[in-house]
Amino acid sequence: MRVLGIETSCDETAAAVVESGWRVASSVVESSLEIHRDYGGVVPELAGRAHLTTIGPVVRRALEGAGLDPHDPAIDAVAVTSGPGLIGSLLVGLSAAKAYALAWERPLVAVNHLEGHLFAPLLEAPALRFPLLTLLASGGHTMLVLQRSAGEHEVLGETIDDAAGEAYDKIARWLGLGYPGGPPIDRLAREGDAGALRLPASMLGPGLDFSFSGLKTAVVRQVGARPDLGVADVAASFQAAVVEQLTRKLAGALERYEVAGLALAGGVAANGQLREAVVALAADRGLEAHLPSREMCTDNAAMIAAAGLAHAARGDYAPLDLPADPGWSLEAVH
Amino acid sequence: MRILAIETSTSACAAALEVDGVVTVEVVEGERRHTETLAPAIASLLEGAGLRPRDLERVVVDRGPGLFTGLRVGLATAQALADATGAALVGVSSLELLARGARDAGATGTLLAVVDARRGEVFVQGFDLATTTPLDEPRVARPEEVATRVRALPSCILAGDGARRYRDLLVDLPGALVLDLAVPPVAAALTLGRDRAPGAVAPLYLREADAVINFATRERS
Ligand SMILES: [Zn+2]
């Protein structure tokens, strides 16, 4: 089986071809990040405009990269992200995907973007063993998911306010480090003193939900009283608090659920300190750690094609009148 | 010739198919649900004509100006259909579709095509209906500016959802006639797009994204 995946839920325009055995035949990603940088976040209308310009060439390159005929590709289905995400961005990919499916007379598969992220580790470790405990953290989402097999998942906990990546963006904007906030804070944190600020340990209870909104308030308040503090110290203290909360919840879940491995997914999974902490946790518990490459952490269409492949294998297709669902939750996916 | 035309620049969604001179049209009015309705409408037109998508020779699409998201649904669909089938891709504007539609309905003289741009503005362009030739470039204007322009003309026909929305401002002006033509007629796209040279089609937004406008204002102040 072979599936073309299309992803346009935020600022990445992506297309990829994935085959049975979780083999990535091609994966193309174009980001409109540079256009949004000056505005301190993704501007929906600009993202929509960029997707429309980019989608055709990106799909063409994905097909050619997989050695397929663009007028009659040997694929079994067209899978597309239909939510969650920015409505104006989703609509471009969804409209194109429907047209390709219609033109090539192939079925359409609707993929939940978050479920897509859960398939990313499989693409780099096709033999990974289940059950798997996955921390999915990005600019829009932060959740702990138990995967019993590919496509069979249960959300154990999620953020009750901001996403982890959102917290990074807010702090970085406040520190004047630009957008997105993850990479500069991760870099600066290496030079700073993580004990410079005494930040509150959020969500200490036994529950598996996360909270990050209080962190920025605490940082702003404490730094106001410490004009001597360097940016690197602030970055280090902030990052330590985030990573601490993320790993503590992972450890909490491991006490309750028997798993074969740990996995990271989503843009925040590219964070160096988080990766080190997860490797250490896995080694401590004698578990496998699956840390996707940077390309697989961030939004891409290979993960969408992979999830699509699982749905197509079950004959789970979508009609041509499929709407975009900007608020589609992972819990609603079966 | 087998031509498909796509129209999504207003809240309506429409498609038309011409097969050897026989035209069929599907219009879903006033729902702003282009994403849901467009692909099924195209599938149903093709099926009704006993045509496979790969039999299409040309895809004509309204590239605006109009509703930004609607335009992107139409253009993304048209581009992908053309890319996937090898059909030629052609763009026409919503304003010239209104002019051509008015002319096909028998109107003569000078026409102002007026498309609702929201936020108290319209997209407007003048046409000589004898030849459907544009008299100026399409632009963004306030309805009051359109009224001023109508006053300066001996007589003038108005068409489009912008003319309908600001009807009260325009209908009583001397020499003005507001047509009951709100949605750019998709069948006119078949006529206009038939002989036009194909190629890449860019949307005609005519207005920057809000964030860019706000950002520029902030930078200045
Ligand atoms: Zn994502």
Side-chain angles (χ1 to χ4, degrees), chain B residues 10 98 112-118 121-123 143 146 158-170 178 181-183:
Chain B
T10 67
L98 288 166
L112 289 188
V114 189
V115 169
D116 189 1
R118 316 279 148 151
E121 291 182 323
V122 294
F123 302 116
V146 177
L158 295 127
D161 63 349
R164 181 160 76 179
R165 178 159 189 172
Y166 298 103
R167 190 185 167 81
D168 292 350
L169 203 66
L170 304 166
V178 179
L181 177 64
V183 178

Side-chain angles (χ1 to χ4, degrees), chain A residues 9 113 117 138 299 303:
Chain A
S9 67
H113 178 83
H117 274 298
S138 68
D299 288 352
M303 67 188 201

Side-chain angles (χ1 to χ4, degrees), chain A residues 38-39 43-46 48-50 52-53 55-57 60 70-73 87-88 91-100 102-106 320-324, chain B residues 33 35-37 39-40 42-43 46 52-54 68-69 71-87 203 205 207-212 215 218:
Chain A
D38 286 347
Y39 304 97
V43 179
E45 174 62 21
L46 293 182
R49 291 184 181 196
L52 180 62
T53 311
I55 184 76
R60 174 65 70 116
H71 293 148
D72 188 18
I87 180 75
L91 291 181
V92 176
L94 186 55
S95 302
K98 286 180 180 183
Y100 287 118
L102 174 68
W104 297 323
E105 300 172 306
R106 299 294 196 282
L320 281 182
D321 66 353
L322 173 76
Chain B
R33 296 193 159 274
T35 324
E36 286 105 294
T37 49
I42 294 168
L46 289 168
R52 294 182 68 183
R54 66 181 57 173
F68 293 167
T69 50
L71 288 179
R72 283 196 284 271
V73 168
L75 267 107
T77 304
Q79 272 177 6
L81 272 178
D83 279 353
T85 59
Y205 292 120
R207 188 154 73 189
E208 295 274 28
D210 281 351
V212 179
F215 194 75
R218 207 166 67 210

Side-chain angles (χ1 to χ4, degrees), chain A residues 143-184:
Chain A
M143 51 178 68
L144 265 181
V145 183
L146 180 67
Q147 289 179 268
R148 294 197 171 80
S149 66
E152 198 191 346
H153 40 71
E154 181 188 339
V155 179
L156 304 179
E158 58 192 312
T159 182
I160 57 168
D161 40 53
D162 291 353
E166 198 179 353
Y168 269 94
D169 290 341
K170 284 183 176 176
I171 288 289
R173 191 177 316 150
W174 184 70
L175 290 172
L177 298 175
Y179 170 85

Side-chain angles (χ1 to χ4, degrees), chain A residues 17 33 46 72 77 79-80 82 99 102 125 156 165 171 174 183 193 198 215 232 239 253 256 259 302 310:
Chain A
V17 176
L33 178 66
L46 293 182
D72 188 18
V80 62
S82 62
L102 174 68
L156 304 179
I171 288 289
W174 184 70
D193 171 12
R198 306 190 73 82
L215 216 44
Q239 172 146 301
R256 268 174 259 184
V259 298

Side-chain angles (χ1 to χ4, degrees), chain A residues 7 9-10 12 84 113-114 116-117 136-141 265-267 297-300 303-304:
Chain A
E7 153 68 36
S9 67
C10 192
E12 269 94 15
H113 178 83
L114 302 171
H117 274 298
L136 166 51
S138 68
H141 308 274
C297 294
T298 48
D299 288 352
N300 64 82
M303 67 188 201
I304 302 305

